[in-house]
Amino acid sequence: MIDVNKAIASAVKTGKVSFGANAALQNAKTGKAKMIILAANCPKDIKDEIEYNCKLSNVPVMMFKGASMDLATVCNKTFVISALSIREAGDSDILKITESSEMEE
């Protein structure tokens, strides 16, 4: 089983990520993100809009179990993060999480 927190931290350190709901929405619309991670307390209207655009552009969405402060802690940032776009995973195996969850369905 992949440790989600370590995978996210590794992606932030070694890959290319964007922080914030606006960036996530842009990446979802353009399909530039390989995955979008949303905090559990991400506002519903923003979450719904991001999920809708991700569905249109086939970008997987993962719900982070913690709040935006917890996601910020995992990313080692001093600001809250409600949405995180992963454009390149770097050394992280975060993208394998969606592959394994798709196989289980």
Side-chain angles (χ1 to χ4, degrees), residues 69-97:
M69 274 305 296
D70 302 322
L71 187 55
T73 304
V74 168
C75 296
N76 201 18
K77 299 295 177 193
T78 56
F79 47 87
V80 294
I81 301 170
S82 59
L84 174 71
S85 310
I86 298 177
R87 292 193 314 260
E88 286 180 27
D91 296 337
S92 173
D93 49 3
I94 188 80
L95 299 176
K96 291 179 184 168
I97 291 173

Side-chain angles (χ1 to χ4, degrees), residues 56-68:
L56 292 178
S57 55
N58 285 332
V59 175
V61 178
M62 187 183 101
M63 290 305 297
F64 184 71
K65 294 210 177 355
S68 52

Side-chain angles (χ1 to χ4, degrees), residues 1-64:
M1 190 72 195
I2 298 170
D3 183 0
V4 176
N5 290 357
K6 283 184 182 171
I8 292 172
S10 177
V12 170
K13 279 185 191 142
T14 61
K16 289 186 179 175
V17 297
S18 302
F19 301 106
N22 288 339
L25 192 55
Q26 268 315 111
N27 288 324
K29 284 180 180 176
T30 59
K32 287 183 179 174
K34 294 203 169 55
M35 173 189 248
I36 291 180
I37 300 170
L38 298 173
N41 64 342
C42 182
K44 185 177 176 6
D45 56 332
I46 293 169
K47 179 181 152 237
D48 291 345
E49 194 173 353
I50 290 172
E51 285 178 336
Y52 173 77
N53 284 292
C54 283
K55 209 170 237 165
L56 292 178
S57 55
N58 285 332
V59 175
V61 178
M62 187 183 101
M63 290 305 297
F64 184 71

